[in-house]
Amino acid sequence: MFAYLIGRVAGVTEDNLVLEVGQIGFNIKIPSGLPALLPPIGEEVKIYTYTCVREDAFLLYGFLSQDELDMFRLLITVSGIGPKGGLSILSVMSADDVRLAVLTQDAKAISRAPGVGAKTAQRLILELKDKVSMEETFVPRESAAYAAQTAGLSDAKREAAEALAALGYSASEAAQAVRKVENADELDVEELLKAALKHLF
């Protein structure tokens, strides 16, 4: 139903995001690793979503990238792995990690996901081995973490964050440092970078 939602982070727990879109708060189930990649409360973010409609529930599952969503859709086609299992796998593995595990028949890696046993992992490999390829694995893509952390930044702030990332700082560290700079809108990129660096030492 929804391809994606763009809104402000209103609340987040280990497995749930409340995204405010047009004065409506959407509860979105998310992988357990995603909260660390989200921007702060009140900041805007784009979430790619999968809608699950059941007799007793209307559920949304969300991811920071189209690639993660596509992998989730692929995972839930496997017998015995529903949305809960797919989310569990993507809580401990990236989409590329899943592809690599399937291609190398690494059932042990997949079975590290909570609720996914060895037999289910083997079945997943069997059913997906013809649906993934090495060419799709580790294709350069925009970092979901970087995209989320820099959402809402001005061009100058984004350039400063990119420079910090190039220096080896994480997306989160770079974006937070730039956001801490006072009167940032009055500074050029070089001045922003110098000021942001002070918050990292």
Side-chain angles (χ1 to χ4, degrees), residues 1-184:
M1 179 179 287
F2 305 110
Y4 58 81
L5 295 171
I6 298 176
R8 297 187 181 279
V9 177
V12 63
T13 62
E14 182 181 359
D15 59 0
N16 189 80
L17 164 68
V18 178
L19 190 70
E20 184 180 340
V21 182
Q23 298 185 330
I24 298 174
F26 289 88
N27 273 310
I28 304 173
K29 294 186 176 298
I30 56 176
S32 62
L34 193 146
L37 303 179
L38 290 171
I41 299 293
E43 297 289 335
E44 188 174 90
V45 68
K46 181 178 184 179
I47 299 292
Y48 294 86
T49 57
Y50 173 82
T51 306
C52 178
V53 180
R54 302 194 319 230
E55 289 184 5
D56 60 342
F58 182 96
L59 304 171
L60 284 174
Y61 295 83
F63 307 88
L64 280 177
S65 70
Q66 184 65 52
D67 186 46
E68 297 287 311
L69 174 59
D70 290 342
M71 177 53 69
F72 177 77
R73 290 178 180 275
L74 191 59
L75 288 171
I76 62 178
T77 65
V78 177
S79 303
I81 297 183
K84 184 177 180 180
L87 204 64
S88 178
I89 292 171
L90 290 174
S91 290
V92 298
M93 306 177 75
S94 69
D96 278 335
D97 289 337
V98 176
R99 292 189 190 96
L100 188 61
V102 171
L103 292 169
T104 59
Q105 299 186 28
D106 188 354
K108 186 176 181 180
I110 297 170
S111 62
R112 283 201 295 265
V116 179
K119 289 184 178 179
T120 302
Q122 291 286 1
R123 187 187 309 121
L124 185 152
I125 291 171
L126 183 64
E127 293 189 25
L128 296 188
K129 65 180 182 179
D130 295 325
K131 297 181 181 180
V132 300
S133 67
M134 187 59 74
E135 288 73 21
E136 295 176 306
T137 307
F138 303 114
V139 174
R141 302 180 181 92
E142 180 182 16
S143 165
Y146 178 77
Q149 293 290 348
T150 58
L153 295 183
S154 65
D155 289 343
K157 288 181 180 178
R158 190 181 297 273
E159 285 185 41
E162 287 175 355
L164 290 173
L167 292 173
Y169 293 101
S170 70
S172 177
E173 291 172 331
Q176 288 178 22
V178 169
R179 285 190 170 97
K180 289 178 181 178
V181 176
E182 295 182 6
N183 303 317

